Amino acid sequence: MQCLKFIRNRPAWPREAALVAVAGAGLLGAAVPASAHGFGQRYDLPVPLSLYLTGAAAAVVVSFVIIALFVHRPLAGALPHAPRIAAPGKQWPVATLAGQVLTVAVYALVVAAGWFGNQNSLMNLAPTAVWVIGWVGLVYVSALFGNIWARIHPLAAVFGWSELLWRRLTGRALSTGVHYPDRLGVWPGLILLFAFSWTELVFPYAALPAAIAWLAFGYALVTWTGMALFGRAVWLARGEAFALAFGAFARFAPFGPPRRHDEPASASMTAFVVFLLSSVVFDGTLATPVWARLENIVVGAVAGSETASRMIARTLGLLAVWLLFLGTYLAACAVMQKVAGGWPAAGTLARRFAFTLVPIAIGYHLAHYLSFLLIQGQYVIPLASDPFGFGWNLLGTAGYRVDIAVVGARFDWYCAVGAIVAGHIAAVYLAHRTALATLDSPRRTLASQYPMTALMVAYTVVSLSIVAAPIVETSSGPTLDPAAALVAVPPGALIPEPGTGRLHAVGPSRTARLALTFRALGSTFHDGTRMTAADLLYPYVFAWRWSTRDGGEGAPYDPVVDAVTAFARARLVGVRIVGVDTTSKSTSFGDVTFTRELLIVELYADLATDDPERMAALAPPWSTMPWTVIALMEEAVHRGWAAFSRAEAARRGVEWLDLVRSPTLRAHLAELVDAFARDGYRPVGLEGLVTTEEARARWAALGAFSRAHGHFLVTNGPYRLKDWSPQAVTVEAFRDLRYPLGVGSFDSLPIPRRGFITRIEPADEGLKLSVDIETVMKFQRSYKIVREPLATALATSPLPPVLVCRYLVLAADGRVALAGTGDLATDASFRLGLKGRLAPGDYTVQTAVYVGGNAMNPEIARIPFRVADGS
């Protein structure tokens, strides 16, 4: 763990714990954005990205020049190979049989674990075995040692054994011997590979073990059907997606068996190879802001649920990126034909050069998935002892903890750069030798490689830009129903009962002015439990329970809770948990894939406004603490041990609630947690959301945490309290692969940047503001803050910062007359829309620009502003 220590000169530690104590109420009144977690993660490069892109492109160009000058032997026959380390087959029959038995057993185990095991993807073997080992790992094995998969293919092995038994019993072949149409080529394999990539990149339940099991079972049926119809060898060569993919990756394996490389690909195989490239690029594209904007446009244009709309958007994106790559490749081949004198045809050239793209595909896989394999692949160690997630320890490895520090962001970036550049240089080398074998003169050969090299340079720049793009979490945010002024509240919406907090149905025929949809990114709490619907709803229960002043003697009440939740309680009509959207792609360390849960919540309110931030701040369904901690604090206050607020503590003559530093209170709470764990205690309001067994597990986790750490301050933040004293507090980074915010999420916080308003001019809509912002130039461990005009910063930075301009208009008597945010214009200035929104009179406009979410110590401009009569 990384530890951060904050030293204070004052003798006393401020009451952070007390602030956390009322967080359940405070979150309902806080002005926060609609998306529960929005994060952008990046590694700050030691030099600007433009230099990397220029250097990488130059490396490809220089390699072309060197290859053109010194390589004169055409690509014919087999390339030189390193000594073969492994070549299973006829020479190694025992090893081949053992490998087949092992893969068949693992395949069966994956299906069984998916069907019958724990459905938590990190506690079940199926997701790791399929997505990490079965796909990413075997790509690298094939690229190094050849197509070992062809020998140990579990489905082919089962069919082969069955065919052998059938032949001995009946004397006939198991397959029907139907002729495979030549015109089909490998299109069936491409269709199946597209389906596999669609499952990985689009299907929202790709990490769900049961879904993986059904998909594996269905794929087995498809494969065996193809083998039964056309024969085992024919289907493996034409229709089996993984045999084709691993075979393509193995084509230039340095330790694999030699093979000829001068035969052209078929049209379908050309399309297949291009798809191997494009699918990985599309995977990286999903993490870019550009894709987030495009996806939101498609979602807004497609009718239906948001989940279905995003699936449609990503399906179209996957298809479009493949067609774009295929189109650019065919266009480059058409230009090659022109510059080479019109012969051979562009289609012939495309088939001839198709396999030269394989090194690029291998480089892309390394760039996007190596850190994924090195980190997520470690889960195989504990899962080998407990594949079903039942708590077994068959091999003694169940206690292994994944080390996410095995690779760092710096390693990930340099590996990506090296892999992409090396892949393109290898492709240039193979393309040149292929051209020597295809064309009849050195001049035509050299001319033909200009467009191919230009294509390689373009691929290099695009792929590196995608890898370097910040990782973003998109959310639909709050939406206002445009169809009608009043929105019908659905029957499933709930509202707490004042005084008790008990959740009950809103009731029939209830309407609201506003409908909000939140997508809360589920996280892991420090005690190891995961956020559920109960954690989202219990803060509402807490707020309504502790905000009723006339509840009688002994009734729960705190004036601070009453005050901070008044706005939300006055306007909230109902809240409804729609469901949980489990998605498979959430890159939070390089390209490491995490399973995440998006808890979809609808909120209905009596509030008429078109300001998204004000709508989102109404009562966001998000909890910084598990419901157990909030309920534990309530019980402490109920029993008279403490009070939530300082004023109430002074009035009652009790402690101000402190989950950390009060030994007496900690002892009381520890006894209480043990009792709650025995009884499976569920507070009022959660009876229908939490079972007794679930409650026992949650209380047990809280008790275990308190015994291990000496306090009850459990949150879902990125830092966890480690130790404390009157002079200092030590917190440690909370690093867990189940936590949705990964390495780099908070990089902007240590060096906050500011914005400065440099020029103010009148504009048609109100005011025009010219702005300077600070940018950070990092060089290894040092950095320099540079102030430059916003237009310059936006033009030169590949990663534009998040910019917000806020303004407040004060009337002459000091009252707030108007508030809002400025619009960023195309000329990089902000426009404040004041026209027609203020009555005649004198005003003062206070405005500031926030860079990267930094709202600390802003540079506030104060502008006198007059609205004349009739204007």
Side-chain angles (χ1 to χ4, degrees):
M1 289 288 184
Q2 293 180 340
C3 296
L4 304 177
K5 200 166 192 178
F6 302 95
I7 307 297
R8 298 182 179 274
N9 295 322
R10 296 191 300 273
W13 179 35
R15 303 303 295 265
E16 285 89 355
L19 295 178
V20 173
V22 294
L27 67 91
L28 294 178
V32 298
S35 56
H37 273 310
F39 59 91
Q41 301 166 207
R42 62 188 178 94
Y43 161 58
D44 288 315
L45 307 180
V47 297
L49 176 63
S50 58
L51 294 183
Y52 277 104
L53 299 180
T54 303
V60 175
V61 173
V62 170
S63 68
F64 164 71
V65 174
I66 294 174
I67 290 167
L69 289 175
F70 297 102
V71 177
H72 305 293
R73 187 159 53 93
L75 185 64
L79 290 172
H81 276 62
R84 293 167 61 189
I85 293 177
K90 295 182 179 179
Q91 300 89 342
W92 297 50
V94 176
T96 299
L97 180 60
Q100 291 175 346
V101 171
L102 177 63
T103 56
V104 169
V106 170
Y107 200 97
L109 182 62
V110 165
V111 174
W115 276 340
F116 308 114
N118 192 317
Q119 292 304 298
N120 183 327
S121 62
L122 294 178
M123 299 176 66
N124 192 298
L125 177 65
T128 300
V130 171
W131 300 119
V132 185
I133 306 303
W135 177 235
V136 177
L138 282 176
V139 166
Y140 302 149
V141 171
S142 301
L144 282 174
F145 304 114
N147 194 7
I148 296 175
W149 179 252
R151 299 293 181 182
I152 62 173
H153 195 310
L155 302 180
V158 170
F159 189 87
W161 298 340
S162 302
E163 191 171 39
L164 180 62
L165 179 61
W166 182 257
R167 191 180 295 276
R168 288 188 176 181
L169 292 175
T170 66
R172 299 192 305 272
L174 186 59
S175 62
T176 60
V178 174
H179 174 68
Y180 186 91
D182 292 337
R183 65 178 180 275
L184 284 182
V186 299
W187 291 114
L190 177 56
I191 292 171
L192 291 174
L193 183 65
F194 184 92
F196 175 79
S197 298
W198 183 91
T199 302
E200 179 193 10
L201 305 174
V202 179
F203 185 53
Y205 305 105
L208 186 67
I212 291 174
W214 281 111
L215 290 170
F217 180 72
Y219 191 81
L221 294 181
V222 170
T223 301
W224 289 331
T225 300
M227 291 179 177
L229 287 175
F230 306 110
R232 179 172 175 267
V234 172
W235 187 252
L236 286 176
R238 302 292 187 90
E240 210 288 284
F242 300 106
L244 290 165
F246 295 139
F249 285 118
R251 193 169 188 83
F252 306 103
F255 301 106
R259 58 178 300 173
R260 295 190 62 85
H261 299 293
D262 53 351
E263 70 272 15
S266 64
S268 56
M269 179 55 76
T270 301
F272 188 95
V273 172
V274 173
F275 185 78
L276 289 177
L277 275 173
S278 65
S279 61
V280 181
V281 172
F282 178 68
D283 190 2
T285 304
L286 292 177
T288 64
V290 173
W291 172 258
R293 291 191 289 269
L294 289 175
E295 184 175 290
N296 287 332
I297 291 173
V298 175
V299 169
V302 176
S305 68
E306 183 175 350
T307 299
S309 299
R310 293 195 181 276
M311 289 175 65
I312 293 172
R314 294 194 173 194
T315 302
L316 295 175
L318 179 61
L319 183 62
V321 171
W322 171 57
L323 293 176
L324 178 63
F325 267 64
L326 186 60
T328 56
Y329 174 66
L330 295 177
C333 291
V335 176
M336 286 173 61
Q337 179 199 14
K338 296 294 183 183
V339 300
W343 179 89
T348 301
L349 290 174
R351 294 192 297 273
R352 274 285 191 179
F353 286 88
F355 289 123
T356 66
L357 301 178
V358 169
I360 302 178
I362 296 173
Y364 284 2
H365 265 266
L366 282 169
H368 285 270
Y369 297 131
L370 181 59
S371 61
F372 174 43
L373 176 66
L374 294 178
I375 296 176
Q376 191 82 357
Q378 296 177 62
Y379 272 99
V380 170
I381 299 173
L383 290 172
S385 288
D386 188 17
F388 288 82
F390 290 161
W392 299 343
N393 193 9
L394 301 177
L395 304 179
T397 61
Y400 176 82
R401 298 299 300 272
V402 172
D403 179 15
I404 69 169
V406 67
V407 294
R410 184 185 300 273
F411 168 86
D412 196 46
W413 167 249
Y414 284 116
C415 174
V417 173
I420 289 173
V421 172
H424 285 91
I425 291 175
V428 169
Y429 169 77
L430 292 173
H432 180 73
R433 291 193 59 184
T434 301
L436 289 171
T438 304
L439 303 173
D440 56 6
S441 73
R443 185 191 63 79
R444 294 181 65 212
T445 297
L446 185 61
S448 71
Q449 290 310 287
Y450 293 147
M452 183 60 71
T453 303
L455 179 66
M456 301 300 179
V457 169
Y459 280 177
T460 301
V461 172
V462 169
S463 56
L464 279 180
S465 299
I466 289 172
V467 170
I471 298 167
V472 295
E473 172 61 41
T474 63
S475 172
S476 61
T479 56
L480 180 64
D481 190 335
L486 294 178
V487 180
V489 180
L494 303 172
I495 192 72
E497 182 180 69
T500 67
R502 191 182 304 277
L503 292 168
H504 60 81
V506 171
S509 304
R510 188 65 194 272
T511 59
R513 297 183 183 181
L514 186 68
L516 299 170
T517 300
F518 292 85
R519 289 159 54 89
L521 183 55
S523 62
T524 302
F525 294 108
H526 294 167
D527 61 2
T529 60
R530 284 198 65 84
M531 179 179 291
T532 65
D535 298 295
L536 297 184
L537 289 177
Y538 199 67
Y540 298 102
V541 173
F542 173 88
W544 266 252
R545 179 180 295 149
W546 289 87
S547 302
T548 304
R549 185 184 294 272
D550 56 354
E553 185 66 26
Y557 178 75
D558 190 288
V560 172
V561 178
D562 187 3
V564 299
T565 63
F567 176 77
R569 289 182 291 106
R571 292 163 177 81
L572 186 66
V573 176
V575 60
R576 183 170 78 106
I577 303 294
V578 178
V580 178
D581 176 15
T582 304
T583 64
S584 63
K585 304 299 293 181
S586 178
T587 312
S588 49
F589 183 82
D591 287 309
V592 180
T593 303
F594 300 104
T595 300
R596 66 180 181 181
E597 291 180 343
L598 289 174
L599 293 95
I600 304 173
V601 185
E602 291 178 352
L603 188 146
Y604 298 88
D606 279 330
L607 180 68
T609 178
D610 57 357
D611 184 347
E613 294 196 4
R614 186 173 181 182
M615 291 191 296
L618 171 65
W622 181 252
S623 177
T624 59
M625 297 182 297
W627 65 261
T628 49
V629 173
I630 301 176
L632 184 65
M633 294 189 298
E634 288 184 284
E635 195 63 26
V637 176
H638 267 306
R639 300 189 180 208
W641 298 340
F644 286 119
S645 62
R646 174 184 286 180
E648 207 50 18
R651 188 182 72 81
R652 297 184 184 184
V654 296
E655 289 188 49
W656 186 7
L657 186 61
D658 192 323
L659 298 175
V660 177
R661 294 173 300 174
S662 172
T664 302
L665 185 57
R666 289 205 314 267
H668 285 318
L669 295 179
E671 294 176 0
L672 207 56
V673 168
D674 291 340
F676 287 167
R678 288 193 302 270
D679 300 337
Y681 170 68
R682 297 170 295 167
V684 173
L686 295 187
E687 297 91 339
L689 296 170
V690 179
T691 67
T692 302
E693 289 303 317
E694 290 171 342
R696 287 196 183 101
R698 294 292 291 267
W699 288 115
L702 181 58
F705 176 89
S706 68
R707 287 188 291 273
H709 299 276
H711 63 85
F712 292 90
L713 191 57
V714 173
T715 73
N716 56 10
Y719 300 108
R720 179 169 54 202
L721 181 62
K722 184 178 181 181
D723 54 57
W724 57 94
S725 70
Q727 289 77 34
V729 175
T730 303
V731 295
E732 59 184 357
F734 177 45
R735 296 285 170 80
D736 189 308
L737 285 180
R738 296 166 295 178
Y739 189 69
L741 298 187
V743 175
S745 298
F746 303 93
D747 283 353
S748 62
L749 300 184
I751 312 175
R753 295 180 287 166
R754 297 198 298 164
F756 305 89
I757 297 172
T758 59
R759 183 182 178 89
I760 303 166
E761 304 173 74
D764 291 340
E765 61 269 35
L767 293 174
K768 173 184 175 181
L769 309 179
S770 299
V771 175
D772 284 358
I773 67 168
E774 293 178 337
T775 59
V776 178
M777 302 293 293
K778 297 193 71 174
F779 307 93
Q780 301 298 337
R781 294 185 177 274
S782 63
Y783 67 90
K784 180 172 65 174
I785 297 178
V786 179
R787 176 172 164 174
E788 58 186 0
L790 177 58
T792 303
L794 294 179
T796 58
S797 174
L799 303 172
V802 177
L803 299 168
V804 178
C805 176
R806 301 185 187 279
Y807 67 86
L808 194 69
V809 181
L810 301 178
D813 59 0
R815 292 181 300 105
V816 176
L818 188 64
T821 57
D823 297 323
L824 183 61
T826 55
D827 62 354
S829 66
F830 281 100
R831 308 299 175 93
L832 308 188
L834 308 178
K835 184 176 181 180
R837 304 176 66 187
L838 295 169
D842 292 326
Y843 299 90
T844 299
V845 180
Q846 297 185 358
T847 181
V849 174
Y850 303 92
V851 182
N854 175 35
M856 302 297 293
N857 192 26
E859 185 81 6
I860 300 175
R862 293 170 174 82
I863 310 162
F865 188 76
R866 168 170 288 185
V867 179
D869 292 337
S871 61

